[in-house]
Amino acid sequence: MSTAFYELLWLFFIYSILGWGIETAAAAVTKHRFVNRGVLGGPVCTVYGVAAVILTVFLQELVEEKSWFFLFVGCGVWATVIEWAAGRFLEKVHHGRWWDYSKKCWNLDGYICLQYSLLWAVLGVAALAYGNPILLSLFRMIPERVGHVLIWVFLGILTVDILGSYLVVLNLQQKFPQIETVHNRLGAWTLRLGWWIARRVERRVNRAYPEIHRVEKARQKTAVFAEGCSFYKLVMLFFIGSFLGDITETIFCRLTVGVWMSRSSVVWGPFSLVWGMAVTFATLLLYNYRNRSDSFLFLFGTVMGGAYEYICSVCTELFFGTVFWDYSKIPFNLGGRINLLYCFFWGIAAVVWLKGLYPVLSNWIEKIPVKPGKIISWCLIVLMTADIAVSCMALVRYSARNAGQPASAGWEIWIDQQFDDQRMEQIYPNAKMVN
């Protein structure tokens, strides 16, 4: 595995431990006693580690360019999104809130608030600009083999820790067979350790989070396909959004540039995955706020749309060595990845989607019979998975051919025959190779 992989894991563990220390210290100040604030059994707050890795991967170039304002905004936005997602996730699986900002000004349903978003922005800038260089220098001082072994040990301990905490969340102690019936000694040892962590976490959760609000939800079976913001609804919306996004961009290019241009993200079919994922995430994030004002949705869409498009641009460049769009010639752009005008388009799209298109499409989707709807959804998932896999291979070979690397494996020869440079240029006319 690459050195970057181990370095990111190192940052994940260190920032998880530092986050646990910050949370525990803050709780000690407010409660005047020691309280272990970690969700897991060990001294880690993994949300800090996850946030650190995401910010490092996608926003590091802003540090190198010394774009401090945009780095501040990016750190604040994505750290806030991660905190919001973590709060929603914990409430969903544990049926309880682990923190509540409802009494603070400028909060959103108690999950996030402005003052903490600003704090995360400051901490994010400090971590990327000053923390990462120091921590990575320390890691590189460790002998390579020792460092790798250390990372794998940490991963093993974290896995066992997550197992124990997961058992607490699902309350499996009463349902799971007795450990003594497990014949595999290693499995039995792992389960014993897991139960020990589970009991410890269960006691500590009640002490550390007495303010948890239980949100017990009755699960009712329904005969309606893809009701609410369900898995199947999001699947169908992903495909609809991918198709409509591709058609919209194609028509837009025709009207503005005067040529018909492919805007598809995949080699088979008119599907723009960027739009499909945007529709899916927008629905998932804004479903509970779909009845809020147009100005709220516009502002949310503008900020999140710009952050999302920036991340997509970085991802494609990192994984495929290819730039699929470049806004360098448009005023108020950031590294050619996003620009202010298109961010406003994202805001408008959020309003149009939530207020206009979503209610109509949602109603149509829910009219599909349950069994055929599920069959259609899974068929579409399989087809799109194959389409994405082939597209990734085609892009990898396209980049490799550009670098002068001949095909050697069987799949490489097949890809080169099916998707030569001429065809790839037709599918991805704006793609530029990054040296």
Side-chain angles (χ1 to χ4, degrees):
M1 295 185 181
S2 66
T3 302
F5 170 79
Y6 287 103
E7 289 181 344
L8 288 176
L9 284 177
W10 169 260
L11 293 178
F12 167 80
F13 285 113
I14 296 300
Y15 281 114
S16 294
I17 295 172
L18 291 175
W20 172 84
I22 292 173
E23 290 283 339
T24 302
V29 170
T30 57
K31 298 179 182 299
H32 305 289
R33 60 184 176 85
F34 172 76
V35 179
N36 190 343
R37 296 287 286 185
V39 175
L40 299 178
V44 292
C45 281
T46 54
V47 66
Y48 283 84
V50 171
V53 170
I54 291 176
L55 297 182
T56 299
V57 171
F58 296 114
L59 300 182
Q60 185 61 38
E61 66 177 20
L62 296 179
V63 178
E64 298 170 357
E65 296 171 0
K66 297 184 178 180
S67 300
W68 303 116
F69 173 75
F70 292 108
L71 179 64
F72 179 84
V73 174
C75 289
V77 169
W78 278 108
T80 300
V81 171
I82 293 169
E83 183 183 30
W84 182 89
R88 290 293 301 272
F89 174 77
L90 287 171
E91 180 176 341
K92 188 174 183 62
V93 300
H94 199 276
H95 304 300
R97 285 202 175 191
W98 292 71
W99 60 82
D100 190 353
Y101 300 147
S102 299
K103 297 181 180 180
K104 297 184 182 295
C105 298
W106 298 92
N107 76 85
L108 182 61
D109 289 348
Y111 293 113
I112 56 177
C113 67
L114 180 60
Q115 66 186 78
Y116 278 108
S117 295
L118 296 175
L119 174 61
W120 304 144
V122 172
L123 292 177
V125 172
L128 267 61
Y130 305 106
N132 284 3
I134 295 174
L135 294 176
L136 292 177
S137 296
L138 292 175
F139 182 69
R140 290 162 187 161
M141 293 172 62
I142 304 173
E144 182 175 348
R145 183 169 298 180
V146 175
H148 293 179
V149 171
L150 187 63
I151 293 297
W152 284 109
V153 170
F154 284 164
L155 277 175
I157 295 174
L158 180 64
T159 301
V160 175
D161 198 350
I162 292 174
L163 171 64
S165 301
Y166 180 73
L167 296 177
V168 167
V169 170
L170 297 184
N171 195 25
L172 291 181
Q173 292 190 23
Q174 299 175 358
K175 303 176 183 179
F176 208 86
Q178 294 296 323
I179 293 176
E180 286 73 18
T181 62
V182 181
H183 299 292
N184 186 296
R185 291 186 178 181
L186 180 59
W189 179 85
T190 302
L191 286 174
R192 286 194 187 96
L193 182 59
W195 291 132
W196 177 80
I197 295 175
R199 288 191 294 270
R200 183 166 170 260
V201 170
E202 194 168 29
R203 289 194 302 268
R204 184 163 47 75
V205 162
N206 293 330
R207 290 182 56 200
Y209 296 93
E211 68 276 15
I212 286 182
H213 304 299
R214 291 289 177 179
V215 190
E216 298 295 341
K217 301 179 181 178
R219 296 183 178 180
Q220 300 178 350
K221 292 185 178 180
T222 177
V224 178
F225 172 68
E227 186 175 20
C229 190
S230 64
F231 169 77
Y232 290 106
K233 174 69 68 60
L234 294 176
V235 168
M236 300 299 285
L237 291 177
F238 168 79
F239 282 94
I240 293 173
S242 297
F243 176 75
L244 292 179
D246 182 273
I247 299 302
T248 301
E249 287 203 16
T250 301
I251 295 175
F252 179 78
C253 287
R254 174 60 181 176
L255 294 176
T256 56
V257 184
V259 297
W260 292 108
M261 182 187 303
S262 171
R263 303 300 295 169
S264 178
S265 304
V266 288
V267 294
W268 294 325
F271 299 106
S272 176
L273 302 187
V274 172
W275 279 95
M277 290 186 292
V279 164
T280 304
F281 290 142
T283 304
L284 187 62
L285 292 174
L286 291 173
Y287 180 77
N288 292 334
Y289 315 114
R290 61 191 183 281
N291 296 322
R292 297 285 291 267
S293 66
D294 291 354
S295 58
F296 172 86
L297 296 177
F298 174 78
L299 179 60
F300 194 99
T302 298
V303 176
M304 289 306 304
Y308 167 75
E309 189 173 18
Y310 189 94
I311 293 296
C312 289
S313 176
V314 175
C315 278
T316 54
E317 186 173 332
L318 284 175
F319 294 128
F320 304 115
T322 305
V323 175
F324 288 93
W325 60 84
D326 186 357
Y327 303 142
S328 299
K329 297 181 180 180
I330 300 178
F332 305 107
N333 74 84
L334 179 59
R337 301 189 186 279
I338 59 175
N339 67 83
L340 186 60
L341 177 61
Y342 285 7
C343 287
F344 288 154
F345 284 168
W346 283 111
I348 295 171
V351 177
V352 173
W353 175 252
L354 268 301
K355 296 293 186 179
L357 294 177
Y358 173 77
V360 176
L361 295 175
S362 177
N363 187 46
W364 288 352
I365 293 172
E366 291 179 1
K367 290 181 179 179
I368 301 174
V370 176
K371 287 187 178 180
K374 291 183 178 180
I375 293 174
I376 293 172
S377 297
W378 283 108
C379 287
L380 290 174
I381 290 173
V382 172
L383 292 174
M384 182 56 75
T385 301
D387 199 354
I388 292 174
V390 174
S391 300
C392 289
M393 291 188 290
L395 286 167
V396 168
R397 281 302 304 154
Y398 187 32
S399 178
R401 288 197 301 269
N402 184 71
Q405 300 175 10
S408 56
W411 72 269
E412 294 177 332
I413 297 174
W414 182 82
I415 288 292
D416 285 0
Q417 293 173 346
Q418 300 297 320
F419 305 99
D420 56 15
D421 289 350
Q422 183 178 359
R423 186 175 180 186
M424 292 297 288
E425 289 170 2
Q426 293 175 348
I427 299 173
Y428 306 109
N430 290 330
K432 297 179 181 178
M433 295 299 161
V434 180
N435 296 326

